[in-house]
Amino acid sequence: MYPLLRQLLFLLDPEQGHRLILNLLRFAQRIPGAVPLLRAIYGVRSNRLATEVMGLSFPNPVGLAAGLDKNAQCVPALLGLGFGSVELGTVTPVAQPGNSPKRLFRLPRQHALINRMGFPSVGVEKFLKNLRTDGKPGVIGINIGKNKNTPNEKAVDDYLTAFRSVYAIADYVAINISSPNTPQLRALQTGDALGDLLTALKHEQIMLGKTRRVYVPIALKIAPDLDTNELENIAALALLHKIDAVIATNSTIDRSGVEHELLSQEIGGLSGRPLKEKSTEVIRTLYNQLKGNIPIIGVGGIENADDAWEKMVAGADLVQVYTGFIYQGPAIAKRICGGLEKRIQVSGCKSLGEALEKARSGVHLMR
Ligand SMILES: Cc1cc2nc3c(=O)[nH]c(=O)nc-3n(C[C@H](O)[C@H](O)[C@H](O)COP(=O)(O)O)c2cc1C
């Protein structure tokens, strides 16, 4: 069914296609009974897949990555599609239009996308007005970024403003310093800039935790285009500042393997299948550094249970999808969860955590 729908969807301009998906989800939310129906068709019920990460209970480990629901308009419907978590945003402190169109491209033969959206955002105030979390059966992450016009020297202020604004409502907050489409944003991943940012955010988290009496975890979202030294430095700082999770990875500026594709030279971040190995490698390096002391959320080119499993064996505790959702359709979370269930069964384990421990320690499980 979805392959046919996808053919029609792909007749549209890519950004129009994404907007149509969001509008359909919003429409569904307004029809009484539609979200429960989505849940009945696509929902995932599995005690074995329930996972505790960052002190939060995830009903399953498959989340929707940031960037699709930038303005927090579709939470009930997205959770109805079986995702264990939805990461909203990136939201910026003040509304901004993002880059001018065209800014999203498909590479269908590669199951990939290139985007240079540049954080189009309604701004955090309107974002929070949009957000509906009624009876939510999953975890809500809110991904925050800085405004384009804010120079890097003032970036900390933007992150603190957005962090304070979303603290009361987010289950966790993702700090996006890895989009390739905001000039100089990725420089915040290196040198003193990262240390300064994490010091400020951690201090704010502790203060807000005291006054609000709730601890909201911080996850740091990083790029796939970092060398081993840079990754080791990020891992050391994450450990030093007791960051609650690392999300690896955002899209890549690398075009290796897709050079021959018509639109491959469009500027922006490449996501989907061609990113898969690269992001898994980042996860592996990070896991060796973090040694299980900080959980990893694995993202990049996941389309099925094999891809998800590979990321998890490399060190991810949870996974997220974006481009895979566009290419595989609304049943992607359910299908991945079904495949993970099978692996747990075959391994003779009682839970995903146990099966992963076994796999990571080198016991060969079904591929
Ligand atoms: C159109 C598009 C927009 C995105 N916007 C954001 C964003 O606003 N914030 C963010 O942290 N990541 C954003 N991403 C990156 C994804 O969250 C994800 O990290 C990346 O695409 C790799 O996963 P995938 O291969 O499953 O798509 C975006 C990706 C795409 C394709």
Side-chain angles (χ1 to χ4, degrees), residues 18 64-68 70 87-91 103-104 111 113-120 143-144 174-181 221-222 247-252 269-276 279 299-303 320-326:
H18 286 217
L64 180 72
L68 184 69
K70 287 179 187 293
E87 196 171 299
L88 306 168
T90 294
V91 59
R103 53 190 185 176
L104 179 58
H111 280 209
L113 296 170
I114 292 176
N115 91 84
R116 52 169 178 267
M117 304 297 287
F119 295 168
N143 180 308
I144 61 173
I175 311 299
N176 184 3
I177 46 172
S178 49
S179 165
N181 303 312
K221 184 160 181 180
I222 64 168
I247 306 174
T249 67
N250 214 311
S251 52
T252 179
L270 173 71
S271 60
R273 218 177 257 177
L275 171 64
K276 192 173 81 169
S279 63
V299 207
I302 296 174
E303 291 194 282
Q320 293 180 336
V321 300
Y322 184 149
T323 308
F325 177 60
I326 303 299

Side-chain angles (χ1 to χ4, degrees), residues 142-153:
I142 300 184
N143 180 308
I144 61 173
K146 77 167 191 73
N147 278 107
K148 183 180 178 184
N149 290 339
T150 305
N152 269 18
E153 306 80 63

Side-chain angles (χ1 to χ4, degrees), residues 136-348:
K136 65 183 172 83
V139 170
I140 307 291
I142 300 184
N143 180 308
I144 61 173
K146 77 167 191 73
N147 278 107
K148 183 180 178 184
N149 290 339
T150 305
N152 269 18
E153 306 80 63
K154 294 264 172 63
V156 170
D157 297 341
D158 266 19
Y159 284 97
L160 286 177
T161 301
F163 185 65
R164 282 182 204 120
S165 305
V166 303
Y167 193 89
I169 190 103
D171 290 321
Y172 73 88
V173 179
I175 311 299
N176 184 3
I177 46 172
S178 49
S179 165
N181 303 312
T182 295
Q184 285 305 307
L185 189 79
R186 286 180 166 194
L188 297 174
Q189 298 176 115
T190 51
D192 292 342
L194 182 58
D196 293 347
L197 178 63
L198 296 185
T199 304
L201 283 167
K202 199 64 204 182
H203 178 259
E204 193 64 25
Q205 183 192 37
I206 292 166
M207 299 306 287
L208 288 169
K210 275 188 191 151
T211 51
R212 308 269 174 94
R213 292 174 188 280
V214 57
Y215 180 85
V216 179
I218 292 175
L220 190 66
K221 184 160 181 180
I222 64 168
D225 307 306
L226 296 157
D227 64 30
T228 307
N229 275 345
E230 289 169 327
L231 278 175
E232 284 174 2
N233 188 44
I234 288 173
L237 285 173
L239 286 165
L240 179 72
H241 293 281
K242 297 193 166 56
I243 294 307
D244 301 283
V246 179
I247 306 174
T249 67
N250 214 311
S251 52
T252 179
I253 53 170
D254 187 7
R255 295 293 186 266
S256 313
V258 299
E259 305 90 336
H260 53 283
E261 292 291 332
L262 186 63
L263 296 170
S264 69
Q265 296 316 313
E266 288 292 346
I267 290 169
L270 173 71
S271 60
R273 218 177 257 177
L275 171 64
K276 192 173 81 169
E277 297 309 324
K278 203 177 170 79
S279 63
T280 304
E281 208 40 58
V282 169
I283 291 166
R284 204 168 279 126
T285 307
L286 266 183
Y287 187 68
N288 284 336
Q289 298 296 316
L290 299 174
K291 300 188 166 58
N293 290 305
I294 297 179
I296 297 170
I297 302 174
V299 207
I302 296 174
E303 291 194 282
N304 53 43
D306 285 350
D307 300 337
W309 184 252
E310 215 170 270
K311 289 255 187 310
M312 290 180 143
V313 174
D317 299 83
L318 301 167
V319 292
Q320 293 180 336
V321 300
Y322 184 149
T323 308
F325 177 60
I326 303 299
Y327 282 91
Q328 302 297 332
I332 188 168
K334 187 174 183 160
R335 281 207 211 109
I336 294 176
C337 286
L340 293 175
E341 271 275 0
K342 244 183 228 154
R343 286 179 185 273
I344 300 170
Q345 252 171 34
V346 169
S347 70

